[in-house]
Amino acid sequence: MPPFRYLLLDDESDDETLGLCLDIHGLFVDPPGPELVRITLSGCEPEGVLRDALDSPVPVRLGDVYVDAGDEPGQGWPLRDVTVLGRVDGLADVAVEARLHDFYQPPCCPPNVAEFRLWEDGGSAMGTCSGIDGLFVQRLPAPSGPMTLYGVEPRNKLRRLLGKGTPVPIGRTHVVFLDRQGNHFYPSWYTMLDVRSAVPSKAGDGLVDLVVANGVSDHPPRTARSIWDMWFAGGPREKNLWAGYGLEGREAWLAAALSRPRTGPEQGPGQTFHIDGRFVTDEMGFYCALGEAVNGPGGYFGWNWQAIRDCLSGGFGARPPFTLVWHDSDVARAHLRLEAERAISRRDPFAEWVDLIRAHVTLELA
């Protein structure tokens, strides 16, 4: 019998083990894309790139925009891939098209504020508006599931409840990924384990196959299956295997790298690490390459701005002071400049990365 890939923990009873599982059909699912909405920024007073967009032939893509119900960025809701469609009522109302963030969904009722502030991804002001028609409405979550759990070895509460017959609700369950050695990967996934049927499994004596009504929270996409297969076998053994994936795959790669157990000692100060920049064509690619520069193939060293700051301060494989040598850095510089031009953004992500790293350690661009 092959080794188990998943551990099932009872989230309602201090993570008591519910069982072990050989495989799960329906775990890796391409979720529907973020909802595309058309909204109107009413009473808009544009600034910065939003004003530039209104002075240009529309439509104009702005990239990500943050809507805040306060004076500081980070207190509201992100709108992804915003496109300005044009003015609705002279200079007052602006029609835009955007995709809602998967996790930071706006409430169904607008907050009681006099105005909303609009920000670029980098924090630059884009103006204000008095209302946002079409954003604050009731939205139902997309259905998830079903899943089939193959080769389950039931234990404790799961064994007792299955003994009473199906269907049977088990409750909130933590699904933990395991590698061949049985190491746990965190964070993992949650589901409301609602067993609809249970039959003896062909995978081995004492095992059962379970059909459950629900999927997991935050489904990993289908492309992530090959990545987790790699981690199951012990992880990548050479660098840049992430480079063949698109943005979605690179995000999945970073999720696996983040959750991988860390067993090696932290390297002392004074080290020099080399970033292979040949494939850094987007933000996720930078994080993949940086992680491998410090911690080897499949290594993690941050996957967003705050995480990078934390890692540069020590505790994630390298203790400052140290030196980073970024080879072929012009690849990232060119790709990010082109993306910024397409979005008429005043941000320069490449310069922001350089400034962030140099605020903590030595960086050499090669």
Side-chain angles (χ1 to χ4, degrees):
M1 184 176 68
F4 291 105
R5 280 179 178 250
Y6 302 99
L7 171 67
L8 308 177
L9 300 177
D10 185 4
D11 189 54
E12 299 174 350
S13 301
D14 197 26
D15 280 347
E16 177 187 63
T17 297
L18 292 175
L20 293 162
C21 179
L22 291 175
D23 206 354
I24 301 177
H25 178 74
L27 174 63
F28 297 92
V29 175
D30 288 334
E35 181 184 354
L36 181 66
V37 296
R38 290 196 176 191
I39 60 180
T40 300
L41 309 176
S42 57
C44 187
E45 297 184 10
E47 300 177 24
V49 294
L50 180 57
R51 184 174 55 214
D52 293 346
L54 292 172
D55 290 338
S56 305
V58 290
V60 176
R61 181 177 173 270
L62 290 182
D64 294 348
V65 173
Y66 291 80
V67 176
D68 285 292
D71 294 330
E72 297 294 333
Q75 305 300 314
W77 308 276
L79 303 178
R80 305 172 69 175
D81 301 324
V82 172
T83 299
V84 175
L85 303 178
R87 299 182 178 91
V88 177
D89 181 18
L91 295 176
D93 298 341
V94 178
V96 302
E97 187 174 73
R99 296 191 181 276
L100 300 183
H101 196 283
D102 296 334
F103 307 113
Y104 302 104
Q105 294 283 325
C108 60
C109 297
N112 185 21
V113 296
E115 67 176 15
F116 297 91
R117 298 199 65 85
L118 310 172
W119 308 88
E120 282 189 81
D121 190 18
S124 298
M126 299 177 66
T128 63
C129 61
S130 59
I132 309 178
D133 301 329
L135 181 61
F136 302 105
V137 298
Q138 181 72 44
R139 292 181 172 88
L140 297 177
S144 174
M147 297 190 302
T148 303
L149 281 58
Y150 293 104
V152 177
E153 180 184 88
R155 298 182 182 178
N156 302 314
K157 174 182 173 181
L158 179 59
R159 178 186 295 172
R160 293 193 301 270
L161 292 178
L162 288 178
K164 300 178 180 180
T166 58
V168 58
I170 307 300
R172 184 174 164 90
T173 300
H174 194 190
V175 182
V176 181
F177 180 83
L178 306 173
D179 64 12
R180 283 186 177 274
Q181 287 68 47
N183 295 313
H184 298 189
F185 282 59
Y186 289 100
S188 47
W189 308 281
Y190 287 93
T191 183
M192 291 301 297
L193 198 64
D194 185 2
V195 179
R196 313 314 295 166
S197 67
V199 297
S201 177
K202 296 180 180 179
D205 294 338
L207 303 183
V208 294
D209 295 339
L210 305 179
V211 175
V212 300
N214 301 311
V216 297
S217 60
D218 193 18
H219 273 287
R222 292 182 187 273
T223 189
R225 177 68 196 230
S226 62
I227 295 170
W228 285 103
D229 283 347
M230 194 183 308
W231 257 255
F232 177 73
R237 292 174 173 79
E238 58 185 275
K239 293 184 178 181
N240 293 324
L241 294 180
W242 56 266
Y245 292 96
L247 179 60
E248 185 178 63
R250 293 180 179 191
E251 290 177 342
W253 182 280
L254 289 164
L258 171 63
S259 62
R260 189 180 192 181
R262 296 179 183 82
T263 56
E266 184 172 48
Q267 301 181 68
Q271 302 290 321
T272 297
F273 304 99
H274 296 267
I275 302 174
D276 184 347
R278 290 175 296 165
F279 311 105
V280 179
T281 55
D282 52 34
E283 184 173 351
M284 295 299 113
F286 171 68
Y287 299 140
C288 291
L290 178 59
E292 294 194 332
V294 176
N295 289 310
Y300 170 82
F301 203 73
W303 68 336
N304 56 45
W305 283 99
Q306 185 57 52
I308 290 288
R309 291 190 185 95
D310 293 342
C311 291
L312 288 170
S313 299
F316 289 86
R319 186 151 30 102
F322 58 85
T323 298
L324 285 169
V325 180
W326 188 348
H327 300 273
D328 295 296
S329 59
D330 282 346
V331 173
R333 191 198 305 267
H335 277 85
L336 294 169
R337 179 182 294 127
L338 179 60
E339 182 63 22
E341 289 174 353
R342 287 172 177 167
I344 67 165
S345 174
R346 298 178 182 179
R347 287 187 61 216
D348 183 351
F350 180 85
E352 291 174 356
W353 286 340
V354 170
D355 291 344
L356 172 62
I357 294 172
R358 285 178 172 167
H360 294 81
V361 299
T362 301
L363 173 66
E364 299 177 6
L365 301 181

